[in-house]
Amino acid sequence: MSQSPEIDHALALLRAGQVIGLPTETVYGLAADASDEAAIKKIYELKGRPADHPLIVHIAPPSLKDKDSEEAWSLALQPWARDIPEEALVLAKTFWPGPLTMVLTKAKQVSPLVTGGQDTVAIRCPNHPVAIDLLKQWGKGLVAPSANRFGKVSPTCAQDVLDEFPRQDLFVIDGGACQVGIESTIIDLTRVEQLGPRLLRPGMLTEDTILQALSLVAKESDDSSPVPRVSGSLSAHYAPKTPLILRGRNTVLPDLNHKKVAYVSLGLDPQPFAQASELTLLEWGLNPAKYAQQLYRVLRDFDKENYDYIIFDEPPHAQEWLAILDRLKRAARGSGH
Ligand code: TXA
Ligand code: MG
């Protein structure tokens, strides 16, 4: 038994092959036993996700005194990965628990349902006290994709998860609002010796910071092998229903006359918004961590409030804004349906 009845209940459900809503520092996940194929199938069904889109295995960190030990991280990874490169251990001890997912060569026993039939597996050790507590007591891996229906905005609080699956009787552990607010950075280390680490999905932990930890210079990849399937790399992911416009300096905005508009400003000309019949103006300033924390929150909230347009000033094209820019571009492309 643990200190928390919620965690005890979650553990009982997981043992019974059920899916639960799990808080992490990035976004909420839909978690299930990574070694139970029937439970994993339930995740795909719930999300409406194609079966060839692989899942991330979440693992517990070693005890605090071993957090800096490569050997301890290696032991934690071994049930899931083989031929683990030194780079993975360096990144684990530097950034885990944290918003980083590593793609490694999978261990033999990992189910193809987890990996989408690929020879690689994505692994992350999340940095959220509830997730860590649960994973430690669980003692095995949990697969956990973001807890949204396929293609929709990821949830950043427990209520968002319930809103995504209103007809399901889903138990969600309430761990408060997510601190990071967008999904983890995914880095592929499967052929790191030949190709260097390869960024598959940008996140708030930047590629530069990762390379610094590895003291490596990014190698231009001339790889002609198939690109691993990352659903986050579909062009229209993270999409709100309301049309979303990413506004650069030269973007010509539509006629906003008689329109209800939500505008997240980074300082471009406010004049066109004078025509709108109703305007919600947010000025978040140039702080990428705060921006990411609020991004999905407002996308969901705006989507509930019948705006005609959601308009974002385009953030700077700098490393620390890359993940935000990536999500905004996808949201713009997939929006309006
Ligand atoms: O922050 C996060 O990573 C959240 C929280 C819940 O941990 N999880 C998350 O999971 O974003 P999901 O399933 O929404 O996105 C995982 C991404 C997918 O785009 C998937 O295609 C990719 O990871 N992925 C999983 N396994 C992979 C593999 N073996 N090779 C390449 N990409 C993989
Ligand atoms: Mg997702």
Side-chain angles (χ1 to χ4, degrees), residues 251-295:
T251 304
V252 180
L253 292 175
D255 184 1
L256 300 181
N257 211 354
H258 302 303
K259 301 291 185 201
K260 179 174 170 178
V261 180
Y263 174 40
V264 180
S265 168
L266 284 174
L268 290 183
D269 181 12
Q271 205 276 329
F273 296 89
Q275 304 167 35
S277 61
E278 207 180 319
L279 176 68
T280 300
L281 170 66
L282 297 179
E283 291 172 296
W284 287 346
L286 284 171
N287 179 332
K290 279 209 175 125
Y291 199 108
Q293 214 172 51
Q294 301 170 90
L295 179 59

Side-chain angles (χ1 to χ4, degrees), residues 13 23 28-29 75 111 187 212 233 244 246 256 258 268 317-318 325:
L13 290 171
Y28 274 67
L75 279 174
S111 163
I187 197 108
Q212 241 167 39
S233 67
L244 186 152
L246 190 54
L256 300 181
H258 302 303
L268 290 183
H317 289 222
L325 195 61

Side-chain angles (χ1 to χ4, degrees), residues 4-286:
S4 152
E6 285 208 300
I7 288 187
D8 289 339
H9 185 51
L11 287 167
L13 290 171
L14 291 169
R15 275 187 215 107
Q18 298 297 317
V19 174
I20 61 151
L22 176 73
T24 84
E25 81 282 29
T26 56
V27 299
Y28 274 67
L30 279 182
D33 183 349
S35 54
D36 179 343
E37 294 202 330
I40 299 169
K41 280 187 188 149
K42 285 184 192 157
I43 289 187
Y44 282 98
E45 273 164 31
L46 259 175
K47 275 186 69 93
R49 179 170 177 147
D52 60 355
H53 282 262
L55 303 173
I56 298 174
V57 176
H58 294 65
I59 59 170
S63 64
L64 208 56
K65 72 171 179 22
D66 288 334
K67 206 204 115 7
D68 296 328
S69 149
E70 291 190 9
E71 202 182 325
W73 283 109
S74 175
L75 279 174
L77 284 167
Q78 271 166 28
W80 307 102
R82 66 178 165 85
D83 304 335
I84 301 166
E86 171 70 17
E87 283 84 347
L89 303 178
V90 171
L91 294 184
K93 73 174 184 188
T94 313
F95 299 116
W96 278 356
L100 172 70
T101 296
M102 292 192 249
V103 173
L104 300 170
T105 305
K106 86 176 189 73
K108 214 169 77 213
Q109 65 273 20
V110 182
S111 163
L113 279 182
V114 173
T115 64
Q118 302 183 85
D119 189 35
T120 58
V121 61
I123 309 174
R124 174 163 117 81
C125 176
N127 188 17
H128 187 292
V130 171
I132 290 177
D133 195 0
L134 181 78
L135 282 162
K136 280 194 163 163
Q137 295 191 58
W138 176 243
K140 301 193 278 178
L142 289 177
V143 278
S146 53
N148 51 283
R149 284 169 297 121
F150 187 62
K152 299 298 175 191
V153 177
S154 298
T156 53
C157 72
Q159 187 59 47
D160 288 351
V161 182
L162 297 171
D163 290 349
E164 274 298 288
F165 305 101
R167 282 193 297 278
Q168 275 81 20
D169 177 24
L170 184 67
F171 177 67
V172 184
I173 313 181
D174 191 346
C178 299
Q179 289 232 315
V180 176
I182 65 174
E183 303 82 354
S184 60
T185 307
I186 306 183
I187 197 108
D188 185 348
L189 296 174
T190 47
R191 296 165 68 198
V192 68
E193 268 174 39
Q194 301 94 315
L195 303 171
R198 288 175 293 164
L199 183 71
L200 298 185
R201 177 174 74 182
M204 293 312 286
L205 180 65
T206 66
E207 190 176 22
D208 279 358
T209 309
I210 291 170
L211 292 177
Q212 241 167 39
L214 294 174
S215 314
L216 277 175
V217 180
K219 269 194 208 158
E220 276 301 310
S221 153
D222 61 350
D223 183 19
S224 56
S225 67
V227 175
R229 287 184 293 262
V230 182
S231 65
S233 67
L234 295 176
S235 65
H237 227 66
Y238 316 106
K241 293 194 289 288
T242 315
L244 186 152
I245 298 168
L246 190 54
R247 181 194 185 206
R249 272 185 196 288
N250 301 319
T251 304
V252 180
L253 292 175
D255 184 1
L256 300 181
N257 211 354
H258 302 303
K259 301 291 185 201
K260 179 174 170 178
V261 180
Y263 174 40
V264 180
S265 168
L266 284 174
L268 290 183
D269 181 12
Q271 205 276 329
F273 296 89
Q275 304 167 35
S277 61
E278 207 180 319
L279 176 68
T280 300
L281 170 66
L282 297 179
E283 291 172 296
W284 287 346
L286 284 171

